[in-house]
Amino acid sequence: MSSSRTPLADSALDPAIAARLKRGADGLVPAIAQQYDTGEVLMMGWMDDEALHRTLTSGRCTYWSRSRQEYWVKGDTSGHVQYVKSVALDCDADTLLVKVDQVGAACHTGARTCFDADVLTTGDPRDQ
C-alpha cells in the first residue's frame, strides 16, 4: 500500500459514526491517547474506520501504522497495553480522544508519554 491509502471499504464501523468522521486525504483521523484518571496526554496515533471499529469493539487501542502500512494493537509486541475507557469525537469531527488505562510506556522510546522530552515552552509568552 502507498502512503495515499484509503480506509477499508468493508469496515464494520457503525455507519452513523463513519458518516460523522472527517478524514484526511489518506483516510486517516488523528487519535490522541490520554490517561483516563490523570489527564496525562500519552501519544498520538492514526486511525481509519477499521482501526476505530476494532478499538471500539475490542477494548484495546488499534492504530494504523503509516510507516509499516498495517494495523497494530498497542501493546501486542511491547506489553505496554492501552485499555480503552472512552472514545470521543471532537467538535469538528476530525480528531479522536481515546481515554485509556495505559500499562507501561506509551512512547516507542520507552518513555511514559511521547510529550515529555522536547518541551518548547513552559509559560505564557506574554509574561516574558
Side-chain angles (χ1 to χ4, degrees):
M1 274 186 204
S2 71
S3 61
S4 62
R5 66 175 302 281
T6 57
L8 292 178
D10 59 352
S11 173
L13 183 63
D14 180 329
I17 295 171
R20 295 179 61 201
L21 288 176
K22 292 181 185 168
R23 302 161 195 81
D26 55 6
L28 300 173
V29 176
I32 305 297
Q34 180 181 39
Q35 179 63 33
Y36 82 100
D37 55 353
T38 66
E40 180 181 30
V41 177
L42 300 168
M43 59 171 280
M44 192 283 289
W46 296 98
M47 291 186 183
D48 67 0
D49 290 23
E50 181 61 20
L52 178 56
H53 168 71
R54 293 178 188 187
T55 297
L56 293 172
T57 58
S58 72
R60 301 249 326 263
C61 283
T62 300
Y63 298 99
W64 175 258
S65 171
R66 295 183 306 167
S67 60
R68 295 188 313 264
Q69 295 289 296
E70 65 185 15
Y71 295 103
W72 57 281
V73 179
K74 182 68 174 167
D76 271 2
T77 56
S78 67
H80 301 164
V81 178
Q82 291 176 341
Y83 294 106
V84 177
K85 296 294 188 176
S86 69
V87 180
L89 191 56
D90 80 334
C91 60
D92 295 322
D94 63 0
T95 304
L96 297 162
L97 176 63
V98 186
K99 292 190 178 183
V100 302
D101 188 9
Q102 176 71 48
V103 176
C107 188
H108 71 280
T109 65
R112 170 78 181 158
T113 172
C114 294
F115 295 101
D116 65 353
D118 197 7
V119 177
L120 302 179
T121 186
T122 59
D124 186 337
R126 296 174 293 179
D127 294 338
Q128 297 176 20

